[in-house]
Amino acid sequence: MLSQVYRSGFQPFHQRLLPWVQSTALSRSPADRIQPSTIRHVRSWSNIPFITVPLSRAHGKSFAHRSELKHAKRIVVKLGSAVVTRGDECGLALGRLASIVEQVSVLQNQGREMMLVTSGAVAFGKQRLRHEILLSQSVRQALHSGQNQLKEMAIPVLEARACAAAGQSGLMALYEAMFTQYSICAAQILVTNLDFHDEQKRRNLNGTLHELLRMNIVPIVNTNDAVVPPAEPNSDLQGVNVISVKDNDSLAARLAVEMKTDLLIVLSDVEGLFDSPPGSDDAKLIDIFYPGDQQSVTFGTKSRVGMGGMEAKVKAALWALQGGTSVVIANGTHPKVSGHVITDIVEGKKVGTFFSEVKPAGPTVEQQGEMARSGGRMLATLEPEQRAEIIYHLADLLTDQRDEILLANKKDMEEAEGRLAAPLLKRLSLSTSKLNSLAIGLRQIAASSQDSVGRVLRRTRIAKNLELEQVTVPIGVLLVIFESRPDCLPQVAALAIASGNGLLLKGGKEATHSNRILHLLAQEALSIHGVKEAIQLVNTREEVEDLCRLDKMIDLIIPRGSSQLVRDIQKAAKGIPVMGHSEGICHMYVDSEASVDKITRLVRDSKCEYPAACNALETLLIHRDLLRTPLFDQIIDMLRVEQVKIHAGPKFASYLTFSPSEVKSLRTEYGDLELCIEVVDSVQEAIDHIHKYGSSHTDVIVTENEETAEFFLQHVDSACVFWNASTRFSDGYRFGLGAEVGISTSRIHARGPVGLEGLLTTKWLLRGQDHVVSDFSEHGSLKYLHENLPVPQRNTN
């Protein structure tokens, strides 16, 4: 009996154990028998990690959104010929296949039921038969043919059915060897069209597949190309009960519906479905495809290998969708994504084209990006006074609609109670004073925006009647992602309007009600000059990571939130610049010549006024000479009164008999009433500490020695460096910028609080009269002048 368990091969332990338990239990009394239900909780094991996910779902209706795909339990993965075969069509892409097998194994070991529909038998057989034909050439024939003729010796055209017959066994042996590495058993099933149209064969096939899935075996299904008849003209796909199996696309769709699968993944050699043939100038990848959209798509030719093209895949996908199976068509050949394309799809990431029967109520994020682009360009062409008028109107709406805004914010606060930490709740909260401050800041932006776009920075006379200008222009489309900060929305909106940029906003779901009404007010203000669509609020289930991939639509990403959010966005952004800082580890150095009257006020304001802010003090550096002095005692007493938890740095702890808890890391942003205190011996050591553990955000020196202060200001390499001032001054509003989109610690383009100027770039305008470069050659008639011309003065009123 134990040998029966051993021979069961690669089944999970509890399923290998089950037949032995059931048969052995017959010899026991009913009370002693082990029931199958008592061992179902035992999970399979292998060298691939797995997680248990809730997978049960009633079949009959496809998933409406990508985010629901993680609940798919039964999945069919169809591997197209272009995915399985090498570029020369003679042999298999082994590395690609190994990666696919690994991903399928991961999902299988999560408790899902995986099935493969694979091509490749013909290519594998062609490789074997070509090899055999070459070997069968006699040595005499090779010698008499001559070296040159040998190189040009033609291989006869190989019949596809013969290739399939020669390749089926080798292909399956390869799959078995690969799946064995993950302790998973695979089984081959060859089918033809008759197996689905003959009722008895269809029932047999269905029963076989269900039994294999029950035993945790991965069925590998393929058309029996050794006996399949030639392809016939397309006369099917007219309904759920009619589809001919003439290629692996139709086979996968038929199998998915027959087996009531939750998800069909079709891997091909293109990223998904495009609205026109891939590679054409205007081709755009379709993120979500809905039934009835076929008229908007122009199909190209089929892939280099295989029976069907993209049109066949779409028809098969729509047929499966009609049968209740969700479908994704994606690229399985790209070396950068093929190693995780299947698992990414199941995780709900935006990969390939997702087929859905449920159309969203509003525009897709791609459509919103296009609207923001066109609206932003219209916004940039308005007169400066018109853009200022929009901002003034938005400022008025913030005070006029105060009650509606606060009511929406109250809903957010009630829903967030108990779910968000206290610092985040404080950020989420809006009040009358906050709205008034916002309105004042917006009016400042409006007043300072009169000559922001189109301002001439430089004028040069290149030659006679050839003049060059450098002028300011908008960056393009901004994506601003913010957490728990509804007051961020009108600030960023005003800056985008003033700078003529299109804007995509992605707020946290904890501020849904507040963001919705604030966005409506922004669009109401924009409507007075017909540019309502320039600012878009993303309300779809779009993941931040997916938004960061829209490099064709977004020119700059500005994250506003936790350091983790910023790091995630910086990691996810592909080809799009990210403006911001991942951490706000701000330092204050108290010099030996610091004023007793100033220090406690500065520390209290920097740490306690708003500890959740990115410009709040996190590390206090004390000169060693100040230890055990009245000044030091005053600092500690004030922090105790303000209930600030102190963490001692290593050197500070060494001076104390009974020290506070020693800091775990000197590179910590607390974001709360917590503070690290460390001791340094000099201003240079303070600077070295800041460079080693700081985040280049804001750092302060407190001293009455002007020489020491200037040394600190010149040598600290941070975006903001202050002398005898609170770290909290590091803010666009306090700098007189009106507002800010964030604080940048980058060294390119903008640094520190980023206001209106940081959202502009430049372009060059050259005005000539039939000038050509050849006129300036050695023997030409013209000479370069390169004269600097006066620049129009800025309007400072």
Side-chain angles (χ1 to χ4, degrees):
M1 199 63 67
L2 289 176
S3 63
Q4 178 184 351
V5 177
Y6 178 77
R7 286 197 306 271
S8 62
F10 309 109
Q11 295 172 320
F13 179 72
H14 74 283
Q15 293 186 352
R16 285 183 265 156
L17 189 63
L18 184 57
W20 177 78
V21 169
Q22 290 174 323
S23 59
T24 305
L26 295 176
S27 61
R28 301 183 178 182
S29 64
D32 294 334
R33 289 177 190 167
I34 302 175
Q35 299 300 322
S37 60
T38 65
I39 62 172
R40 283 178 185 159
H41 69 280
V42 181
R43 301 293 296 154
S44 61
W45 58 271
S46 75
N47 57 337
I48 292 294
F50 63 83
I51 53 174
T52 303
V53 291
L55 300 174
S56 59
R57 127 183 147 89
H59 187 80
K61 194 172 183 180
S62 60
F63 293 119
H65 305 284
R66 284 183 186 268
S67 59
E68 298 173 350
L69 295 180
K70 60 179 175 289
H71 300 300
K73 177 175 176 60
R74 186 170 291 175
I75 302 172
V76 172
V77 178
K78 184 264 175 179
L79 308 180
S81 300
V83 176
V84 176
T85 60
R86 297 198 314 245
D88 60 5
E89 302 175 25
C90 294
L92 303 178
L94 296 179
R96 202 179 297 147
L97 270 183
S99 174
I100 289 169
V101 167
E102 180 178 10
Q103 294 174 77
V104 171
S105 301
V106 168
L107 296 174
Q108 182 82 1
N109 284 325
Q110 288 178 354
R112 305 179 200 268
E113 297 174 344
M114 304 298 296
M115 290 180 278
L116 279 183
V117 175
T118 181
S119 303
V122 173
F124 197 38
K126 182 187 288 189
Q127 181 186 35
R128 294 181 65 183
L129 292 181
R130 284 168 62 97
H131 185 66
E132 289 298 322
I133 290 172
L134 289 173
L135 288 179
S136 66
Q137 303 279 357
S138 67
V139 175
R140 183 179 303 166
Q141 180 182 356
L143 291 174
H144 284 290
S145 64
Q147 186 67 24
N148 293 331
Q149 293 181 10
L150 182 62
K151 289 182 180 178
E152 298 172 359
M153 194 177 351
I155 300 295
V157 176
L158 300 175
E159 207 275 330
R161 294 188 189 89
C163 292
Q168 288 286 5
S169 60
L171 178 65
M172 192 59 205
L174 181 62
Y175 273 120
E176 284 184 338
M178 289 181 173
F179 275 112
T180 299
Q181 304 303 311
Y182 306 103
S183 301
I184 291 176
C185 183
Q188 181 184 35
I189 297 180
L190 297 176
V191 297
T192 64
N193 199 28
L194 295 176
D195 295 320
F196 289 98
H197 290 282
D198 184 288
E199 189 61 32
Q200 184 59 48
K201 290 183 177 180
R202 180 179 164 189
R203 282 200 299 267
N204 292 343
L205 175 61
N206 194 290
T208 299
L209 288 169
H210 275 94
E211 183 65 14
L212 291 174
L213 294 176
R214 186 187 69 81
M215 293 188 293
N216 203 44
I217 295 173
V218 175
I220 299 178
V221 187
N222 195 1
T223 52
N224 192 351
D225 294 327
V227 298
V228 73
E232 298 177 356
N234 185 26
S235 60
D236 55 5
L237 299 167
Q238 302 300 315
V240 173
N241 296 318
V242 183
I243 183 170
S244 298
V245 176
K246 54 186 181 296
D247 56 41
N248 278 338
D249 295 318
S250 53
L251 169 60
R254 183 64 186 256
L255 181 68
V257 174
E258 286 285 338
M259 295 299 295
K260 295 182 172 59
T261 59
D262 302 313
L263 174 61
L264 167 61
I265 299 174
V266 180
L267 297 183
S268 183
D269 58 351
V270 291
E271 279 69 24
L273 177 60
F274 289 78
D275 57 1
S276 56
S280 58
D281 291 339
D282 298 324
K284 293 181 181 178
L285 178 65
I286 299 173
D287 174 39
I288 306 177
F289 190 82
Y290 306 99
D293 285 354
Q294 296 95 311
Q295 294 79 10
S296 63
V297 177
T298 303
F299 293 100
T301 58
K302 72 182 187 68
S303 64
R304 59 179 172 81
V305 289
M307 295 288 292
M310 184 55 72
E311 186 172 10
K313 290 175 175 58
V314 171
K315 288 182 177 180
L318 290 174
W319 190 89
L321 186 68
Q322 189 179 354
T325 296
S326 297
V327 183
V328 175
I329 297 178
N331 191 335
T333 63
H334 197 292
K336 290 186 177 180
V337 300
S338 59
H340 46 81
V341 59
I342 299 174
T343 51
D344 280 354
I345 289 171
V346 176
E347 289 172 9
K349 295 182 180 179
K350 185 177 281 192
V351 178
T353 300
F354 173 60
F355 286 72
S356 175
E357 294 181 298
V358 181
K359 282 201 171 187
T364 65
V365 69
E366 288 82 6
Q367 291 169 333
Q368 286 186 296
E370 291 174 357
M371 288 189 286
R373 173 77 68 188
S374 59
R377 286 172 176 163
M378 292 176 60
L379 183 63
T381 61
L382 295 179
E383 293 297 324
E385 295 78 11
Q386 292 175 306
R387 289 193 294 270
E389 187 181 354
I390 293 172
I391 300 170
Y392 279 125
H393 188 47
L394 177 56
D396 292 339
L397 287 172
L398 290 179
T399 53
D400 295 344
Q401 304 293 325
R402 179 189 304 112
D403 293 340
E404 289 81 357
I405 297 171
L406 295 179
L407 182 62
N409 185 247
K410 183 181 178 183
K411 292 181 182 178
D412 288 327
M413 293 293 291
E414 290 172 350
E415 293 175 5
E417 195 69 42
R419 295 192 299 109
L420 290 183
L424 293 179
L425 277 175
K426 189 172 182 180
R427 288 186 180 186
L428 178 62
S429 174
L430 291 176
S431 63
T432 300
S433 61
K434 267 191 179 182
L435 293 176
N436 289 337
S437 296
L438 279 173
I440 294 171
L442 264 58
R443 293 187 179 98
Q444 286 182 352
I445 295 172
S448 63
S449 67
Q450 295 294 322
D451 63 345
S452 56
V453 179
R455 176 163 49 89
V456 179
L457 301 178
R458 180 185 303 174
R459 292 180 64 219
T460 304
R461 180 177 287 120
I462 304 297
K464 184 179 179 181
N465 295 324
L466 184 63
E467 292 189 3
L468 178 69
E469 284 185 350
Q470 184 185 20
V471 300
T472 58
V473 293
I475 288 175
V477 175
L478 314 176
L479 169 62
V480 178
I481 303 169
F482 53 100
E483 294 176 320
S484 307
R485 288 286 299 273
D487 57 325
C488 174
L489 194 153
Q491 288 181 340
V492 173
L495 289 169
I497 295 167
S499 57
N501 284 290
L503 180 61
L504 281 176
L505 293 160
K506 175 66 172 176
K509 60 183 178 181
E510 65 279 353
T512 298
H513 303 293
S514 305
N515 289 339
R516 185 181 296 122
I517 188 170
L518 291 170
H519 174 248
L520 289 174
L521 295 179
Q523 289 202 316
E524 182 179 336
L526 289 162
S527 298
I528 65 176
H529 288 297
V531 287
K532 175 182 176 181
E533 293 182 342
I535 296 180
Q536 299 287 325
L537 180 65
V538 179
N539 286 317
T540 61
R541 301 189 182 196
E542 223 70 34
E543 295 294 333
V544 168
E545 185 176 344
D546 294 328
L547 289 172
C548 292
R549 294 174 179 167
L550 301 177
D551 58 322
K552 299 289 191 299
M553 300 178 181
I554 296 167
D555 299 297
L556 178 66
I557 301 175
I558 304 173
R560 295 288 304 270
S562 67
S563 57
Q564 187 60 51
L565 171 73
V566 179
R567 282 193 294 268
D568 290 343
I569 290 172
Q570 289 172 336
K571 182 179 179 180
K574 305 296 183 184
I576 309 176
V578 178
M579 179 187 289
H581 63 280
S582 59
E583 293 174 307
I585 305 175
C586 302
H587 293 74
M588 180 178 287
Y589 165 58
V590 183
D591 185 52
S592 59
E593 298 180 65
S595 167
V596 175
D597 298 330
K598 295 175 182 177
I599 185 59
T600 52
R601 276 172 46 83
L602 292 173
V603 174
R604 180 189 289 109
D605 188 77
S606 297
K607 178 71 256 186
C608 307
E609 197 265 343
Y610 190 7
C614 66
N615 57 10
L617 177 63
E618 302 294 5
T619 298
L620 183 66
L621 300 176
I622 306 273
H623 193 283
R624 179 168 52 88
D625 293 347
L626 296 179
L627 291 178
R628 300 183 178 90
T629 66
L631 186 148
F632 178 75
D633 293 339
Q634 286 183 25
I635 297 173
I636 298 301
D637 290 343
M638 181 274 295
L639 293 173
R640 185 181 296 114
V641 171
E642 296 291 341
Q643 298 182 326
V644 177
K645 182 178 180 181
I646 296 175
H647 301 277
K651 287 186 69 175
F652 181 44
S654 68
Y655 285 98
L656 304 174
T657 305
F658 300 100
S659 69
S661 61
E662 189 166 341
V663 68
K664 294 180 180 178
S665 171
L666 289 168
R667 194 179 285 112
T668 301
E669 181 180 14
Y670 298 103
D672 206 344
L673 287 174
E674 298 183 56
L675 180 68
C676 171
I677 297 180
E678 182 59 309
V679 175
V680 293
D681 292 338
S682 65
V683 64
Q684 184 60 58
E685 188 176 337
I687 293 170
D688 293 341
H689 180 104
I690 290 169
H691 288 164
K692 184 173 183 179
Y693 299 109
S695 60
S696 301
H697 191 295
T698 301
D699 299 293
V700 176
I701 182 172
V702 183
T703 184
E704 295 303 301
N705 187 312
E706 183 176 353
E707 184 179 347
T708 303
E710 288 301 324
F711 183 85
F712 184 90
L713 294 175
Q714 297 303 320
H715 287 78
V716 171
D717 186 15
S718 295
C720 300
V721 188
F722 302 160
W723 172 24
N724 288 348
S726 168
T727 60
R728 297 278 290 119
F729 276 106
S730 182
D731 175 83
Y733 173 74
R734 298 183 180 106
F735 276 15
L737 306 180
E740 65 182 30
V741 292
I743 295 179
S744 173
T745 56
S746 172
R747 300 174 189 278
I748 299 175
H749 180 64
R751 199 174 186 204
V754 180
L756 180 57
E757 299 289 333
L759 299 182
L760 297 171
T761 185
T762 64
K763 71 177 180 182
W764 297 89
L765 305 177
L766 184 64
R767 296 178 176 91
Q769 293 182 3
D770 192 30
H771 287 82
V772 294
V773 170
S774 59
D775 287 342
F776 295 87
S777 64
E778 184 179 353
H779 303 291
S781 58
L782 296 177
K783 299 292 183 183
Y784 288 112
L785 299 178
H786 293 152
E787 295 177 0
N788 291 328
L789 299 176
V791 174
Q793 295 297 310
R794 278 189 78 173
N795 178 13
T796 58
N797 294 327

